[in-house]
């Protein structure tokens, strides 16, 4: 064998602590910051938009962000429990929105739509929530439960497959055409809030979101089921040993997340009255961004992340991009959202309120 | 001069102080055992030395280099290799491939070389393979012959432990850190491994630091024993000195160690 | 998938075997209902209606209904499957009860379709479900009155289910001849154009006239029976042999095996040489597309299959290749028109792709798997939106793209037709396959795999994960960019809408269906998943639906793919190979001895 008793010392090839990657990332941070600051300075100093217009953008962003926040809840809750990104959650939202559309369309043909808009909306919401919740539970049962102990990427790939399947099933069933949500007269006006006129539909979105969020918060913090949800997200095995039915809890998580996506779907119809089978993809990605931004696994974080993302997305193009005289900068709205996603994941994967889940080594 | 010197390192996880101003010296050619009750910070100590975690304060000097803040692969390149308490092989790679990964840092063939199969790449590949076979032959018939092409997860538990040691050996280390190498082995395998650890020093010239719960093994292999408790060094000395030390007995009292 | 296998013959079986439990009829009923939902969806998404126009065998077998009742067959097969052998139980045998289970599943499935038909004849559902037209009702009910139709549907489904279950009752040799024969008949019937073209290319049109109703027509009954008999007999004879071809090749001594594989490679090359000449422009075009996807799949295979990083924005590198190639070669490029030859432009394409690879990879290096997937998806979408934007239109042409890309010219050779392009595309594919193979067995290939298995241990064992990840991304990006450049040259133009997320997902489906990490698997995946939908025009509008379902089904049942790499195949048999002492429930072989005395298995 080897006769060498003492192994000679070896020169080290790369003992540097500062790697090119670190330098690159710092460069990226600084560049991003510089781009944002200079653009904002340019567009604010140009005075292109008045204070009122900025405020409108802010309100627009907040209401869109509320919808993102509701969808983000599904991502964040499922991630909290299963440590897995349910890529098909955007489709759960889309199916809820579709259901809302068909129910609203049916009601719009009756006298109820005019006579009592509140009851009509309630029916629309319940239909959308039930549909989305059932779909989410179905997905869990068929596609995810058998893979619970599989390597991490396998359920993720399955959920991509589920996302495609749902999209094209919907396209096949109801046709690929874009559907127009029926108008509801009482929602077309504006409401005077503190001296400024805000579209009623936007107010409704924000109010409904706040109510639903509070209800959810109470559910998770105060009820037995909520407690078992938190226990399962801490440690599945221990929770099971403590007598918690893990399967049932996970189903509940999917159902609640799905119901939230259903509410979001119905609200979406009030704000953006056009819808097709692909409408779930972008809001899904953005809601995921919102979930990460707020700190994935954290319910309050989802709310915070959703609203921040909505505002960034609505103000960002006018604030930053307009400063560079970019033609048709509204085309780049989604780039702002994706860039926010990338930046958040690169520089603060823990989010605003999150625990350190994104890099753990297990 | 000592090969490895740990100068008052500390590490806390949240409020828990896993390692608290620890000082340890390891000399060239020694076999040092680190013992202590569960949660004493032994594995954290290994993680800090190998760069898998960064200490909050203190220095770790290996062979004249301060390794704090270096990436694990850079530290390994200096000649500091380890095994893991809960065997972490590359399960769907073959036995030989597992060992060949250990040689990664000693090679320099690039992508272009691999694609065009240049002469230097081929000779390096042959060297890596020969080296891997040589390391595996160190374990006698245990990891020989047809086992080379078996996937690692197929191996028995004892063989997985052996393969982990082989993989660490393939990195051509100067200091080998073994984290509970005999855990989960039957008495016969334990004796065999104890002999093997001695051979690792005598034939290969490695300096060895070993975390161990089995006092028989500790007694048989170590030149020196270091006792950790609550992240601090309780005492150190020969096995006999340590095993009669009041403080050590107290630290262990009422806490049965895993397998005695 | 942990499945308990029967004790190996080496162990003395002392336990008295209990009879296997019979087929579970409750499970069969559940499967039947699931199958029914699937059948209803197939009808309601319009698949039945669209496929109905295609006659498989003239005049008796339209594809639409066949597809519907194939589902009944499949669920009958599942319902009638004898349960897996359990330790301590005798192996289950199929009997008439299995047939009942199959028939039950089929009948329940049929009942669901019957209910759909009843609903359709009572209400007009087209307000919501656009495909539920009277024509579809006519197809589903065979033009019979509702009551009779429902009975017929249930009866046919039950028979289909029973036949599906009956497959388990067949002797193995019969089964191995019968199923391929049926599959081949299906292939002949589905790919009439392909087969016709093949016969025409081989100047054997008389075969076309004999098997089909005419040039481009459907298979005749006589034709179907002929194909069936020929294939059946061939497989029957093959099935009688003791060893498979693969076994024989593996048994060859080393020198002979090398010679054999050289000859095989030569034969394949010669066949490839003649493929475009025989197949004509249409099929060649489809094969070119498949080749470009195959190229991308080989690249993504390195990133996902070897290095374990799920890149969902892979299409961005394809786009970078296409746009770089277009800008450097086209006279219509908006900003900058060097009008290089593509051959000269290729190094620049590679450099651009490598830089793009570094750009994407550097930020994601420290990111965990699922986050990495989403960030790369974000990068892919950003790239597409930027290529599409007004802002960068002065460089990339915006939505109008870049047109007028000159054809590939190599020396005096000017390529123009799809047949011409077949050669450079497959040359690059072969090179890529070689590169993949060479890298797999190299220092970096091992580093990638180690990183895929356990990143932090790989790092602790000396793998520089930063370099390893960057290099995987760069190699993958360069391969995709070749595909992009060839794609642009062949089509003659690049538009941003060609670089949609669905391309990334399609490539992902290819490597997953074929088998991650396995080059032959990836090749098969590309052929099946790209060639099939392009040749079956009815199929193409449901292409992505099928991809989605395929992804789910593969992940649930066969995550290692159809042609798994060797190590994946071994993984599948983990239970048989494992020698862990604590798993050895018989305990008659202490591991200490077993490790030294056991022969290789």
């Amino acid at each position: 064998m080897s006769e060498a008793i003492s192994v000679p010392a070896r020169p080290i090839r790369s003992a540097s602590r500062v790697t090119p990657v670190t330098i690159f990332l710092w460069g990226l941070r600084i560049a991003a910051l510089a781009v944002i600051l200079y653009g904002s300075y340019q567009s604010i100093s140009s005075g292109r938009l008045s204070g009122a217009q900025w405020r409108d953008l802010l309100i627009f962003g907040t209401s869109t962000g509320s919808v993102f926040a509701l969808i983000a809840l599904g991502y964040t809750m499922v991630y909290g429990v299963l440590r897995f990104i349910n890529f098909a959650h955007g489709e759960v939202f889309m199916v809820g929105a579709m259901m809302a559309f068909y129910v609203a369309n049916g009601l719009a043909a009756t006298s109820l739509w005019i006579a009592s808009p509140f009851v009509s909306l309630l029916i629309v919401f319940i239909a959308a929530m039930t549909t989305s919740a059932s779909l989410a539970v179905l997905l869990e049962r068929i596609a995810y439960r058998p893979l619970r102990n599989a390597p991490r990427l396998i359920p993720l790939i399955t959920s991509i497959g589920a996302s495609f399947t749902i999209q094209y099933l919907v396209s096949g069933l109801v046709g690929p055409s874009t559907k127009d949500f029926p108008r509801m007269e009482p929602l077309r006006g504006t409401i005077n809030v503190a001296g400024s006129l805000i579209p009623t539909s936007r107010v409704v979105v924000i109010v409904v979101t706040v109510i639903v969020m509070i209800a959810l918060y109470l559910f998770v913090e105060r009820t037995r089921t909520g407690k078992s949800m938190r226990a399962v997200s801490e440690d599945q095995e221990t929770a099971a040993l403590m007598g918690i039915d893990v399967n049932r809890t996970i189903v509940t998580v999917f159902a609640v997340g799905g119901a939230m996506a259903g509410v979001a779907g119905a609200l979406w119809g009030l704000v953006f009255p056009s819808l097709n089978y692909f409408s779930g993809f972008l809001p899904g990605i953005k809601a995921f961004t919102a979930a990460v931004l707020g700190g994935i696994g954290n319910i309050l974080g989802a709310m915070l992340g959703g609203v921040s993302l909505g505002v960034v997305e609505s103000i960002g193009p006018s604030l930053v991009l307009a400063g560079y005289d970019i033609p048709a900068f509204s085309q780049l709205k989604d780039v702002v959202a994706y860039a926010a996603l990338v930046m958040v994941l690169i520089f603060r994967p823990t989010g605003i309120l999150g625990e350190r889940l994104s890099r753990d080594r297990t | 001069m000592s090969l490895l010197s740990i100068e008052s390192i500390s590490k806390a996880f949240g409020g828990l102080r896993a390692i608290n101003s620890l000082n340890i010296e390891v000399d060239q050619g020694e076999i040092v055992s680190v013992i202590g009750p569960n949660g004493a910070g032994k594995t954290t100590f290994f993680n800090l030395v190998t760069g898998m975690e960064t200490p909050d304060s203190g220095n770790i000097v290996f062979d004249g280099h301060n390794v704090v803040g270096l990436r694990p692969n850079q530290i390994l390149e200096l000649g500091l290799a380890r095994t893991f308490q809960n065997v972490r092989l590359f399960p769907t790679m073959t036995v030989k491939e597992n060992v060949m990964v250990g040689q990664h840092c000693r090679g320099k063939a690039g992508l272009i070389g691999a694609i065009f199969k240049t002469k230097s790449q081929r000779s390096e590949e042959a060297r890596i393979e020969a080296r891997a076979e040589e390391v595996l032959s160190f374990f006698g018939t245990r990891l020989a012959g047809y086992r080379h092409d078996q996937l690692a997860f197929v191996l028995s538990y004892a063989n997985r432990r052996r393969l982990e040691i082989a993989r660490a050996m393939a990195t051509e280390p100067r200091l080998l850190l073994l984290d509970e190498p005999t855990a989960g082995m039957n008495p016969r395998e334990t004796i065999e491994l104890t002999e093997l650890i001695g051979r690792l020093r005598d034939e290969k010239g490695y300096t060895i630091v070993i975390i161990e719960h089995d006092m028989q093994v500790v007694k048989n292999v170590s030149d020196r024993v270091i006792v950790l408790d609550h992240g601090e060094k309780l005492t150190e000395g020969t096995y006999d000195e340590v095993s009669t030390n009041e403080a050590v007995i107290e630290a262990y009292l009422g806490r049965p160690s895993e397998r005695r | 998938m942990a499945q308990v296998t029967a004790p190996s013959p080496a162990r003395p079986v002392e336990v008295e075997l209990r009879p296997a439990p019979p087929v579970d009829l409750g499970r069969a009923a559940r499967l039947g209902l699931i199958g029914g939902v699937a059948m209803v969806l197939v009808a309601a998404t319009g698949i039945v209606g669209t496929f109905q126009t295609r006659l498989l065998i003239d005049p008796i077998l339209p594809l639409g209904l066949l597809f519907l009742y194939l589902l009944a067959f499949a669920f009958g097969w599942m319902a009638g499957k004898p349960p897996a052998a359990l330790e301590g139980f005798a192996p289950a045998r199929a009997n008439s009860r299995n047939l009942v289970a199959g028939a039950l599943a089929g009948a329940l499935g049929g009942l669901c379709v019957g209910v759909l038909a009843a609903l359709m004849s009572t209400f007009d559902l087209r307000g919501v479900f656009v495909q539920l037209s009277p024509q579809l009702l006519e197809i589903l009910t065979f033009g019979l009155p509702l009551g009779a139709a429902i009975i017929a549907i249930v009866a046919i489904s039950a028979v289909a289910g029973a036949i599906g279950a009956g497959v388990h009752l067949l002797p193995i040799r019969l089964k191995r001849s019968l199923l391929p024969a049926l599959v081949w008949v299906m292939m002949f019937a589905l790919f009439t154009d392909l087969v016709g073209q093949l016969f025409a290319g081989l100047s054997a049109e008389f075969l076309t006239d004999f098997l089909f109703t005419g040039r481009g027509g459907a298979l005749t009954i006589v034709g179907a029976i002929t194909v069936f008999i020929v294939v059946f007999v061939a497989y029957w004879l093959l099935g009688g042999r003791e060893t498979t071809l693969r076994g024989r090749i593996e048994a060859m001594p080393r020198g002979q095996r090398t010679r054999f594989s050289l000859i095989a490679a030569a034969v394949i090359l010669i066949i490839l040489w003649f493929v475009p000449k025989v197949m004509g422009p249409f099929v060649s075009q489809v094969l070119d597309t498949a080749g470009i996807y195959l190229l991308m799949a080989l690249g993504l295979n390195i990133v996902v299959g070897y290095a374990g990083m799920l890149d969902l924005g892979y299409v961005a590198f394809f786009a970078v290749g296409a746009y770089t190639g277009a800008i450097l070669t086209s006279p219509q490029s908006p900003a900058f028109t060097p009008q290089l030859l593509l051959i000269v432009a290729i190094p620049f394409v590679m450099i651009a792709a490598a830089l793009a690879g570094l750009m994407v990879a550097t930020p994601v290096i420290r990111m965990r798997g699922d986050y990495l997937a989403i960030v790369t998806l974000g990068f892919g979408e950003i790239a597409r939106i930027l290529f599409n934007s007004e802002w960068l239109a002065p460089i990339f042409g915006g939505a109008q793209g870049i047109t007028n890309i000159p054809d590939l010219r190599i020396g005096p050779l000017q390529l123009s037709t799809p047949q011409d392009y077949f050669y450079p595309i497959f040359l690059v594919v072969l090179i890529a396959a070689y590169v993949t193979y060479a890298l797999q067995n190299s220092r970096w290939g091992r580093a990638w795999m180690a990183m895929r298995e356990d990143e932090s241990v790989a790092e602790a064992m000396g793998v520089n994960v930063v370099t390893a990840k960057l290099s995987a991304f760069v190699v993958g990006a360069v391969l995709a960019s070749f595909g992009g450049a060839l794609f642009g040259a062949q089509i003659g133009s690049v538009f941003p809408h060609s670089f949609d997320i669905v391309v990334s997902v399609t490539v992902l489906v290819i490597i997953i269906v074929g088998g991650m990490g396995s080059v032959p698997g990836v090749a098969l995946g590309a052929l099946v998943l790209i060639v099939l939908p392009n040749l079956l025009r009815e199929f193409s509008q449901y292409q992505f639906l099928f991809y989605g379902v395929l992804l789910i089904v593969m992940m649930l049942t066969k995550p290692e793919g159809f042609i798994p790499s060797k190590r994946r195949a071994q993984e599948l048999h983990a239970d048989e190979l494992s020698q862990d002492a604590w798993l050895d429930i018989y305990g008659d072989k202490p591991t200490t001895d077993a490790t030294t005395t056991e022969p290789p298995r």
Side-chain angles (χ1 to χ4, degrees), chain A residues 21 24 79 157-158 165 168 172-173 288 296 326 331 335 338 345-346 357-358 360-361, chain C residues 44 129-131 362-363 367-368 371 374-375 381 389-391 456 466 512 548-549 555:
Chain A
V21 173
F24 177 86
Y79 199 94
I157 294 171
T158 313
T165 308
Y168 288 93
L173 288 175
F288 173 74
I296 199 148
I326 290 173
Q331 277 184 339
V335 170
Y338 283 120
L345 281 179
I346 294 172
L357 288 176
S358 65
D360 68 2
R361 287 172 182 257
Chain C
F129 301 108
V130 289
Q131 302 284 354
T362 316
M367 224 170 260
R368 216 186 47 198
Y371 275 39
I374 302 284
V375 169
E381 287 293 284
S389 66
E390 285 286 303
W391 177 39
S456 52
V466 173
I512 281 168
V549 174
M555 285 294 107

Coordinates of all heavy atoms in Angstrom, one line a residue, chain A residues 21 24 79 157-158 165 168 172-173 288 296 326 331 335 338 345-346 357-358 360-361, chain C residues 44 129-131 362-363 367-368 371 374-375 381 389-391 456 466 512 548-549 555:
Chain A
V21 N -19.0 35.3 -7.8 CA -20.4 35.3 -7.7 C -20.9 36.3 -6.7 O -21.9 37.1 -7.0 CB -20.9 33.9 -7.2 CG1 -22.4 33.9 -6.9 CG2 -20.6 32.8 -8.3
F24 N -20.7 39.6 -8.4 CA -21.7 39.8 -9.4 C -23.1 40.1 -8.7 O -23.8 41.0 -9.1 CB -21.9 38.4 -10.1 CG -23.0 38.4 -11.1 CD1 -22.8 38.9 -12.4 CD2 -24.3 38.0 -10.8 CE1 -23.8 38.9 -13.3 CE2 -25.3 38.0 -11.7 CZ -25.1 38.5 -13.0
Y79 N -47.5 25.4 1.2 CA -46.1 25.4 1.4 C -45.7 25.2 2.8 O -44.8 24.4 3.2 CB -45.4 26.6 0.8 CG -43.9 26.4 0.6 CD1 -43.5 26.1 -0.7 CD2 -43.0 26.6 1.6 CE1 -42.1 25.8 -0.9 CE2 -41.6 26.4 1.4 CZ -41.2 26.0 0.1 OH -39.9 25.8 -0.1
I157 N -43.2 18.7 -10.4 CA -43.4 18.4 -11.8 C -44.9 18.0 -12.0 O -45.5 18.4 -13.0 CB -42.4 17.3 -12.3 CG1 -41.0 17.9 -12.2 CG2 -42.8 16.8 -13.6 CD1 -40.0 16.8 -12.5
T158 N -45.4 17.2 -11.0 CA -46.8 16.8 -11.1 C -47.7 18.0 -11.1 O -48.7 18.0 -11.9 CB -47.2 15.9 -9.9 OG1 -46.1 14.9 -9.7 CG2 -48.5 15.2 -10.1
T165 N -53.1 20.4 -17.4 CA -54.3 19.6 -17.6 C -55.5 20.4 -17.4 O -56.4 20.4 -18.2 CB -54.3 18.4 -16.6 OG1 -53.0 17.7 -16.8 CG2 -55.4 17.4 -16.9
Y168 N -56.1 23.1 -20.1 CA -56.6 22.7 -21.4 C -57.9 21.9 -21.3 O -58.7 21.9 -22.3 CB -55.5 21.9 -22.2 CG -54.4 22.9 -22.6 CD1 -53.3 23.2 -21.9 CD2 -54.6 23.6 -23.8 CE1 -52.4 24.1 -22.3 CE2 -53.7 24.6 -24.2 CZ -52.6 24.8 -23.4 OH -51.7 25.8 -23.8
G172 N -61.0 23.0 -23.4 CA -61.8 22.1 -24.2 C -63.3 22.1 -23.8 O -64.2 22.0 -24.6
L173 N -63.6 22.2 -22.5 CA -64.9 22.2 -22.0 C -65.7 23.4 -22.4 O -66.8 23.3 -22.9 CB -65.0 22.0 -20.5 CG -64.6 20.6 -20.0 CD1 -64.5 20.6 -18.5 CD2 -65.5 19.5 -20.5
F288 N -47.7 33.8 -6.2 CA -46.6 33.1 -5.6 C -45.5 34.0 -5.2 O -44.9 34.0 -4.1 CB -46.0 32.0 -6.6 CG -44.7 31.4 -6.1 CD1 -44.8 30.4 -5.1 CD2 -43.5 31.7 -6.6 CE1 -43.7 29.9 -4.6 CE2 -42.3 31.2 -6.1 CZ -42.4 30.2 -5.1
I296 N -42.8 33.0 2.9 CA -43.7 31.9 2.6 C -44.0 31.1 3.8 O -43.1 30.9 4.7 CB -43.1 31.0 1.4 CG1 -44.2 30.2 0.8 CG2 -42.0 30.2 1.9 CD1 -44.1 29.9 -0.7
I326 N -39.3 54.9 -22.0 CA -39.4 53.7 -22.7 C -40.8 53.7 -23.4 O -41.8 54.0 -22.8 CB -39.4 52.5 -21.7 CG1 -37.9 52.4 -21.2 CG2 -39.8 51.2 -22.4 CD1 -37.8 51.3 -20.1
Q331 N -46.4 47.6 -21.6 CA -46.1 46.3 -22.1 C -45.2 45.5 -21.1 O -45.2 44.3 -21.0 CB -45.4 46.3 -23.4 CG -46.2 46.5 -24.6 CD -45.3 46.4 -25.9 OE1 -44.1 46.6 -25.8 NE2 -45.9 46.1 -27.0
V335 N -43.0 42.4 -16.7 CA -41.5 42.3 -16.5 C -41.3 42.8 -15.1 O -40.4 42.3 -14.3 CB -40.7 43.1 -17.5 CG1 -39.3 43.2 -17.1 CG2 -40.8 42.4 -18.9
Y338 N -42.2 40.1 -12.7 CA -41.2 39.0 -12.7 C -39.9 39.4 -12.1 O -39.2 38.7 -11.4 CB -41.0 38.5 -14.1 CG -42.1 37.6 -14.7 CD1 -42.8 38.0 -15.8 CD2 -42.4 36.4 -14.0 CE1 -43.8 37.2 -16.3 CE2 -43.4 35.6 -14.5 CZ -44.1 36.0 -15.6 OH -45.1 35.2 -16.1
L345 N -36.5 36.6 -4.6 CA -35.9 35.3 -4.4 C -34.4 35.3 -4.2 O -33.8 34.5 -3.5 CB -36.4 34.3 -5.5 CG -37.8 33.8 -5.3 CD1 -38.1 32.9 -6.4 CD2 -38.0 33.1 -4.0
I346 N -33.8 36.2 -5.0 CA -32.3 36.3 -4.9 C -31.8 36.9 -3.6 O -31.0 36.4 -2.9 CB -31.7 37.0 -6.1 CG1 -32.0 36.3 -7.4 CG2 -30.2 37.2 -6.0 CD1 -31.7 37.0 -8.7
L357 N -36.9 29.4 5.2 CA -37.2 28.1 4.6 C -36.6 27.8 3.3 O -36.3 26.7 2.9 CB -38.7 28.0 4.4 CG -39.6 27.9 5.6 CD1 -41.1 27.9 5.2 CD2 -39.3 26.6 6.3
S358 N -36.2 28.9 2.6 CA -35.9 28.7 1.2 C -34.5 28.1 1.0 O -34.2 27.5 0.0 CB -35.9 30.1 0.5 OG -34.9 30.8 1.1
D360 N -33.0 26.0 3.4 CA -32.6 25.0 4.4 C -32.0 23.8 3.7 O -32.3 23.5 2.6 CB -33.7 24.6 5.4 CG -34.9 23.9 4.7 OD1 -34.7 23.6 3.4 OD2 -35.9 23.6 5.3
R361 N -31.2 23.1 4.5 CA -30.4 22.0 3.8 C -31.0 20.6 4.0 O -30.3 19.7 3.8 CB -29.0 22.0 4.4 CG -28.2 23.2 4.0 CD -26.9 23.3 4.7 NE -26.2 24.5 4.3 CZ -25.2 24.5 3.5 NH1 -24.8 23.3 3.1 NH2 -24.5 25.6 3.2
Chain C
A44 N -66.8 15.5 -23.5 CA -67.2 16.9 -23.4 C -66.1 17.9 -23.8 O -66.4 19.1 -24.1 CB -67.5 17.2 -21.9
F129 N -71.0 24.3 -21.9 CA -70.0 23.3 -22.5 C -70.2 23.3 -24.0 O -71.1 22.7 -24.6 CB -70.3 21.9 -21.9 CG -70.1 21.9 -20.4 CD1 -71.2 21.8 -19.6 CD2 -68.9 22.0 -19.9 CE1 -71.0 21.8 -18.2 CE2 -68.7 22.0 -18.5 CZ -69.8 21.9 -17.7
V130 N -69.3 24.0 -24.7 CA -69.5 24.3 -26.1 C -69.5 23.1 -27.0 O -70.0 23.1 -28.1 CB -68.4 25.3 -26.6 CG1 -68.6 26.7 -26.0 CG2 -67.0 24.8 -26.2
Q131 N -68.9 22.0 -26.5 CA -68.7 20.9 -27.4 C -69.9 19.9 -27.3 O -70.0 19.0 -28.1 CB -67.5 20.1 -27.0 CG -66.2 20.9 -27.0 CD -65.7 21.1 -28.4 OE1 -66.3 20.6 -29.4 NE2 -64.7 21.9 -28.6
T362 N -26.0 32.5 -12.3 CA -25.3 33.1 -11.1 C -26.3 33.4 -10.0 O -26.0 33.1 -8.9 CB -24.5 34.3 -11.6 OG1 -23.9 34.0 -12.8 CG2 -23.5 34.7 -10.6
P363 N -27.4 34.1 -10.3 CA -28.2 34.5 -9.1 C -28.9 33.3 -8.4 O -29.2 33.4 -7.3 CB -29.3 35.4 -9.7 CG -28.8 35.7 -11.1 CD -27.9 34.7 -11.5
M367 N -29.8 28.8 -4.5 CA -31.3 28.6 -4.3 C -31.7 27.2 -4.3 O -31.1 26.4 -5.0 CB -32.0 29.3 -5.5 CG -33.1 30.2 -5.0 SD -33.6 31.1 -6.4 CE -32.9 32.7 -6.1
R368 N -32.7 26.8 -3.5 CA -33.1 25.5 -3.4 C -34.0 25.1 -4.6 O -34.6 26.0 -5.2 CB -33.9 25.3 -2.1 CG -33.7 24.0 -1.5 CD -34.6 23.9 -0.3 NE -35.9 24.3 -0.7 CZ -36.9 24.7 0.1 NH1 -36.6 24.7 1.4 NH2 -38.0 25.1 -0.3
Y371 N -37.6 26.8 -5.6 CA -37.4 28.2 -5.9 C -36.7 28.5 -7.2 O -37.1 29.4 -7.9 CB -36.6 28.9 -4.7 CG -37.5 29.3 -3.5 CD1 -38.5 28.5 -3.1 CD2 -37.2 30.5 -2.9 CE1 -39.3 28.8 -2.0 CE2 -38.0 30.8 -1.8 CZ -39.0 30.0 -1.3 OH -39.8 30.4 -0.3
I374 N -39.0 28.3 -10.1 CA -39.9 29.5 -10.3 C -39.1 30.7 -10.8 O -39.5 31.4 -11.7 CB -40.6 29.9 -9.0 CG1 -41.4 28.7 -8.5 CG2 -41.5 31.1 -9.2 CD1 -42.7 28.5 -9.2
V375 N -37.8 30.9 -10.3 CA -37.0 32.0 -10.8 C -36.6 31.8 -12.2 O -36.7 32.8 -13.0 CB -35.8 32.1 -9.9 CG1 -34.8 33.1 -10.5 CG2 -36.2 32.7 -8.6
E381 N -39.8 34.1 -18.9 CA -40.9 35.0 -19.3 C -40.4 36.4 -19.5 O -40.8 37.1 -20.5 CB -42.0 35.0 -18.2 CG -42.8 33.8 -18.2 CD -43.7 33.6 -19.4 OE1 -44.7 34.3 -19.5 OE2 -43.3 32.8 -20.3
S389 N -41.2 43.3 -26.9 CA -41.6 44.7 -26.5 C -41.3 45.7 -27.6 O -40.3 45.6 -28.4 CB -40.8 45.1 -25.2 OG -39.5 45.1 -25.5
E390 N -42.0 46.8 -27.5 CA -41.8 48.0 -28.4 C -40.4 48.5 -28.1 O -39.7 49.0 -28.9 CB -42.8 49.1 -28.1 CG -44.2 48.8 -28.6 CD -44.2 49.1 -30.1 OE1 -43.9 50.2 -30.5 OE2 -44.6 48.1 -30.8
W391 N -40.1 48.5 -26.8 CA -38.9 49.1 -26.3 C -37.6 48.6 -27.0 O -36.8 49.4 -27.5 CB -38.8 48.9 -24.8 CG -37.5 49.4 -24.1 CD1 -36.9 50.6 -24.4 CD2 -36.8 48.8 -23.1 NE1 -35.8 50.7 -23.6 CE2 -35.7 49.6 -22.8 CE3 -36.9 47.6 -22.4 CZ2 -34.8 49.3 -21.8 CZ3 -36.0 47.2 -21.5 CH2 -34.9 48.1 -21.2
S456 N -25.1 19.6 -0.2 CA -24.1 20.1 0.8 C -23.0 19.0 1.0 O -21.9 19.4 1.3 CB -24.8 20.4 2.1 OG -25.6 19.4 2.5
V466 N -20.5 26.0 -7.2 CA -20.7 27.2 -8.0 C -20.3 26.9 -9.4 O -21.1 27.0 -10.4 CB -19.9 28.4 -7.4 CG1 -20.0 29.6 -8.4 CG2 -20.4 28.8 -6.1
I512 N -39.0 13.7 -19.2 CA -39.6 12.9 -18.1 C -40.2 11.6 -18.7 O -40.0 10.6 -18.1 CB -40.6 13.8 -17.4 CG1 -39.8 14.6 -16.4 CG2 -41.5 12.9 -16.6 CD1 -40.5 15.7 -15.8
G548 N -50.1 17.3 -20.3 CA -50.4 17.5 -18.8 C -50.8 16.2 -18.2 O -50.2 15.9 -17.1
V549 N -51.7 15.5 -18.8 CA -52.1 14.2 -18.2 C -51.0 13.3 -18.1 O -50.7 12.6 -17.1 CB -53.3 13.6 -19.0 CG1 -53.6 12.2 -18.5 CG2 -54.5 14.5 -19.0
M555 N -45.5 10.7 -13.4 CA -45.0 11.0 -12.0 C -45.6 10.0 -11.0 O -44.9 9.6 -10.1 CB -45.2 12.4 -11.6 CG -44.4 13.4 -12.3 SD -42.6 13.3 -11.8 CE -41.9 12.6 -13.3

